[in-house]
Amino acid sequence: METFAALTYLASSVLFILALRGLSHPETARRGLSYGITGMALAVLTTVLLPSTGGTFWVLLAIAIGGTIGTQIARKIAMTDLPQLMAAFHSLVGLSAVCVAAAAFYTPEAFGIGTSGHIRPGSVFEMALGLAIGAITFTGSLIAWGKLQGRISGKLVSFKSQHALNAALGAILIFLIFMLCTTQSVFIFWLVALLAMALGVLVIIPIGGADMPVIVSMLNSYSGWAAAGIGFTLHNNLLITTGALVGASGAILSYIMCKGMNRSFLNVILGGFGQQATTSDTTNAEDKTARIGAAEDAAWIMKNASRVIIVPGYGMAVAQAQHALREMADILKKHGVDVKYAIHPVAGRMPGHMNVLLAEANVPYDEVFEMEDINREFAQADVAYVIGANDITNPAAKNDSSSPIYGMPILDVEKAQTVLFVKRSMGSGYAGIENPLFFRDNTLMLLGDAKKMTEEIIKAL
């Protein structure tokens, strides 16, 4: 049976790797998802059948309960709520790592790692690592969920000596892990858990809203490493492999996003990701005038254009405007207009958010381009149609050193001949800062619900 389990675990690992490969592109994403589901089903079935598992009834009952809850959530969840759903699920992975570590610490005989108070040092270290990372992931993910859900302010939060405090707590946590391995004290075990939970809050709470997509990706990585640490405790090679895959892929994705945003990867890990604004644009709001347009104006401009670049953002997701957007693009293409879509690495509130929405509306993959592939084309575009995207088009990122998003590469929509900006109001974006693009001479503001405005443009066309 052990040989059979090793082979099936190996097959599951291969399927997980193929799943990651498939999920790297929209065209192969469904196939990748199928690989992942198959691999997980095979892994769970193998684990349940192992003689060492025991309590099969309770395992199957837990799967039934969890599967039912997961199915209901998947059926009811709105596309706009996927980022906070991911953060919530990451918190559960972290909490499960804490629970397994506690179970192993209190009943080491059941895990074959020694007896109470005399656990093998290597096993205690693995357990402590899984406990600490799991606790950080648990509370950090809850804070991320709160920010994304609007329960906690999405603005940058900073306080004096926050980095010194985080560093001190990190050093104390490492010392406590060493003491736990030495003494195997119950008090120190829970002290490690509580300190790690506090560190999870302090690391994530300073992060500003514009940087949350990277944090969601980083928490995904943390959850993977927590699972891998507990895999060592459980002596489960597949859990180790799967956790390492999730941890590594999440870290790599976070690094790519940080590079795309001109941010420091080290700052993400240390919890100092955002920058604090000092002085903002000193131009008085009353001295600024924005041009407000209507759907008929936008339709006429785009119908007479040669090239239109569409920039989707979170506002499109909230309004569920992707289907209307594709219909508008189809009409424009019938009029001989070249239409393309530009995707910023952190558009929306999680990596790939816009790609998923456009794929849901059956937008052709060859019309969707990443920022580095299309940014240079804005200067030759007649129209940039910005639908619900704010911070990722804000020129302050390039010319205002006091801005919280300064240094973040943006989509150069202001270089287009005309910018049609669809937004509910003239208010600031998720980062909480004003966008000077609203007041440029070549910008026409289309105020209103993104879906309704796009549908009105379709009628006008």
Side-chain angles (χ1 to χ4, degrees):
M1 187 62 187
E2 290 184 3
T3 303
F4 172 75
L7 290 174
T8 53
Y9 280 169
L10 178 61
S12 296
S13 299
V14 172
L15 287 169
F16 291 149
I17 294 170
L18 292 174
L20 285 175
R21 173 64 178 170
L23 291 169
S24 65
H25 195 277
E27 289 187 14
T28 57
R30 288 182 182 273
R31 190 190 317 151
L33 189 60
S34 298
Y35 287 143
I37 293 171
T38 304
M40 184 56 70
L42 183 61
V44 171
L45 181 62
T46 302
T47 305
V48 170
L49 293 177
L50 282 175
S52 57
T53 299
T56 304
F57 169 77
W58 296 109
V59 173
L60 293 177
L61 181 61
I63 291 173
I65 294 172
T68 302
I69 295 172
T71 301
Q72 292 303 312
I73 292 174
R75 287 180 178 276
K76 295 180 179 180
I77 194 73
M79 290 296 292
T80 51
D81 294 335
L82 280 181
Q84 46 264 54
L85 178 67
M86 285 183 62
F89 280 175
H90 291 159
S91 74
L92 295 179
V93 176
L95 182 60
S96 67
V98 172
C99 292
V100 172
F105 186 75
Y106 278 95
T107 56
E109 299 87 355
F111 294 82
I113 56 176
T115 58
S116 185
H118 299 85
I119 305 173
R120 290 196 297 265
S123 298
V124 178
F125 177 73
E126 296 160 1
M127 185 191 308
L129 211 57
L131 171 69
I133 299 175
I136 291 172
T137 304
F138 173 58
T139 53
S141 298
L142 287 180
I143 296 298
W145 172 84
K147 282 177 172 282
L148 291 167
Q149 190 68 17
R151 303 293 178 87
I152 302 174
S153 173
K155 294 182 179 179
L156 182 101
V157 178
S158 62
F159 50 89
K160 190 176 180 180
S161 303
Q162 69 182 49
H163 297 297
L165 176 61
N166 288 348
L169 290 178
I172 295 172
L173 183 61
I174 293 172
F175 173 73
L176 288 176
I177 290 175
F178 170 76
M179 290 299 297
L180 179 62
C181 293
T182 305
T183 65
Q184 298 189 20
S185 164
V186 174
F187 174 74
I188 294 179
F189 177 91
W190 289 113
L191 198 58
V192 168
L194 290 174
L195 186 62
M197 287 182 184
L199 194 58
V201 173
L202 293 171
V203 165
I204 304 301
I205 198 70
I207 308 303
D211 299 327
M212 285 309 296
V214 185
I215 296 306
V216 172
S217 174
M218 201 65 222
L219 287 169
N220 179 54
S221 177
Y222 289 167
S223 69
W225 297 124
I230 293 303
F232 282 103
T233 301
L234 298 176
H235 302 294
N236 189 303
N237 293 331
L238 182 61
L239 189 55
I240 296 170
T241 304
T242 306
L245 282 172
V246 174
S249 60
I252 291 170
L253 178 59
S254 300
Y255 175 77
I256 292 172
M257 294 175 71
C258 287
K259 188 177 180 182
M261 296 174 67
N262 195 29
R263 302 297 204 196
S264 168
F265 181 69
L266 185 61
N267 280 347
V268 183
I269 301 173
L270 297 179
F273 192 48
Q275 294 175 325
Q276 185 174 12
T278 51
T279 56
S280 140
D281 187 9
T282 56
T283 307
N284 293 327
E286 55 267 24
D287 295 335
K288 301 177 182 178
T289 304
R291 292 196 304 148
I292 310 298
E296 292 76 13
D297 304 319
W300 186 87
I301 293 171
M302 285 194 284
K303 189 175 181 179
N304 290 279
S306 298
R307 179 176 296 180
V308 173
I309 300 179
I310 298 171
V311 180
Y314 188 69
M316 181 194 75
V318 172
Q320 288 289 287
Q322 61 269 25
H323 296 281
L325 189 65
R326 193 218 64 211
E327 186 180 351
M328 183 190 78
D330 289 343
I331 295 173
L332 290 173
K333 286 187 285 185
K334 289 180 181 177
H335 285 287
V337 181
D338 178 30
V339 179
K340 293 180 179 178
Y341 298 79
I343 307 295
H344 191 277
V346 293
R349 294 187 184 175
M350 72 175 186
H353 201 177
M354 296 302 105
N355 301 77
V356 171
L357 291 172
L358 294 179
E360 182 189 21
N362 295 317
V363 172
Y365 299 128
D366 58 359
E367 294 178 5
V368 181
F369 296 87
E370 300 300 324
M371 180 177 68
E372 63 270 17
D373 298 323
I374 199 171
N375 229 10
R376 66 179 68 90
E377 296 188 26
F378 279 104
Q380 289 78 45
D382 298 296
V383 176
Y385 186 78
V386 184
I387 177 168
N390 194 334
D391 300 321
I392 61 173
T393 62
N394 194 331
K398 295 189 294 185
N399 51 39
D400 184 1
S401 59
S402 67
S403 172
I405 62 172
Y406 181 70
M408 181 181 81
I410 62 167
L411 291 165
D412 295 328
V413 297
E414 77 274 11
K415 294 182 180 180
Q417 185 174 334
T418 302
V419 179
L420 300 176
F421 213 116
V422 183
K423 202 171 180 295
R424 285 183 179 273
S425 68
M426 297 290 292
S428 60
Y430 192 52
I433 55 175
E434 187 180 72
N435 191 342
L437 180 62
F438 297 168
F439 310 101
R440 295 283 180 96
D441 292 336
N442 63 331
T443 300
L444 188 67
M445 298 299 298
L446 305 172
L447 301 182
D449 178 80
K451 182 179 181 181
K452 188 175 181 180
M453 179 61 69
T454 305
E455 288 173 343
E456 289 178 359
I457 293 174
I458 291 171
K459 291 179 182 177
L461 286 170

